[in-house]
Amino acid sequence: MEVWAALGGSGLPGALIVLILVVLLAVALHRSAPWETPTAPQGGPRANGHARPEQPRKAKPAARARREKPQQHSFAHRLLVAALKGHSSPVTCLDFSSNGKYLASCSEDRTVRLWSTRDLAGREHRCLRANVGLDHAEFVRLSPDSRAFIVWLANAETIRVYKMTKKEDGSFTFSATSGDFPKKHKAPVINIGIAETGKFIMTASSDTTILIWSPKGEVLASINTNQMNNAYATVSPCGRFVASCGFTPDVKVWEVCFSKNGDFREVTRAFELKGHTAGVQSFSFSNDSRRMATVSKDGTWKFWGTDVEYKKQQDPYLLLTGQCAVPEPCRIALSPDGRTVAVAGGTDIVVCNTRRGEEEERFLGVHSHRITDLAFDTTGRYVVSCGDRAIRVFHNTAGHRAVVEEMEAMLKKTGNKATRERLEQQISSALKALAAIYGKKH
Ligand SMILES: *[C@@H]1O[C@H](CO)[C@@H](O)[C@H](O)[C@H]1NC(C)=O
């Protein structure tokens, strides 16, 4: 299957496309790693070392082409790092690879794109493009080794696995593995996930069903969440748990257990987050799964300690409650280090600190449509969101300030020289990062 980027769905005149392709091809061959593709802004033509240009299309009158093209939402903010443009329809899902190198996105434009996170702050944003044949992906998740990804197909209503293979000429291609997963869900799917251990895949539908699958597509277990409906569900970053929320005011967490030789054993109840007074809309784990954040219809978000031995009857504990200052329905993302949360509702995003719960940053009207996904990158330096055709990337200034605040408090308490030095070093690098963001000399 030919999956790599050749041409965007642009209405540019053929001659111009060819010209741009030649230029981009030269640039790509000159300095890109084989799989990287310089991306022209606005979903225009792109090429790389192995792209095969399509037949130039019939030239349209330029004025008409421009009128046909929907307007990009214009948005500016001091903390905006980048707007990743390339998708020609709204982006529905974002996923960072666990090694932090790639950001995967999918869209109704029938493509999945893999962006290199190395140059997020740069001017040019390169991506690889995989076409989803005769369908489009609603959700995308990268495999733990970043060599494959899975998508939820909107029309076929099932999982398809794509593997990345290196061709003889050094270029990469994504090809669908034979056979999509069997169709099992009776209600629309609201999220999918892959365990970091590679042992299972999760799909959750808007009724009360969560399915646990083997990577080959056999159903290992079916969970009834008993929450009236499922609003959100996900796999924890450690790959041990799946969790769900819905109409009821709790978050339920299960452990997916495997035997020592790797065979699936069972799904058992692990723990619950109880404290909200209305349905929970979304939740998020820190990268070590020891902290969680939840957001509810009761108008609050909560921050929890989940580093408990649930087998010894220890319960998770509430650390903080904050007020939700964005329109419902909300979604929440917890930074990898658990120091900041981002809450999105409508087209707005608010970033808060999890020590004091105060609002630190507010981004209004970020997308032309309702925000469909929100995430921190694996370093916690950036917050990314999607909702229209662009992916917007923001500096997580609140995260840097939270490091300074926490380390300064620790510094006051310690007399140990080595600890003091380590803390001072962390404070200094967070201050430097802030100074760089705000453009001050240091
Ligand atoms: C979590 O993220 C922090 C930085 O954001 C990193 O230092 C740490 O190693 C990560 N931990 C895991 C388990 O990935």
Side-chain angles (χ1 to χ4, degrees), residues 98 286-289 335-337 339 377-381:
S98 39
S286 65
N287 66 359
D288 57 7
S289 309
S335 65
D337 64 7
R339 289 192 179 101
D377 77 315
T378 53
T379 65
R381 281 185 297 162

Side-chain angles (χ1 to χ4, degrees), residues 301 320-323 339-341 350-361 398 401 405:
W301 59 268
L320 188 104
T321 298
Q323 295 304 313
R339 289 192 179 101
T340 44
V341 290
V350 160
V351 184
C352 305
N353 160 314
T354 56
R355 266 164 77 84
R356 288 172 288 102
E358 279 157 23
E359 181 176 318
E360 298 261 328
E361 304 292 352
R401 285 194 293 267
E405 205 178 306

Side-chain angles (χ1 to χ4, degrees), residues 52-73:
R52 210 177 37 192
E54 286 167 4
Q55 287 301 312
R57 295 185 196 168
K58 258 201 204 144
K60 282 183 198 163
R64 205 178 131 217
R66 217 173 291 132
R67 224 179 303 129
E68 280 173 359
K69 193 163 188 168
Q71 279 290 308
Q72 280 275 13
H73 176 62

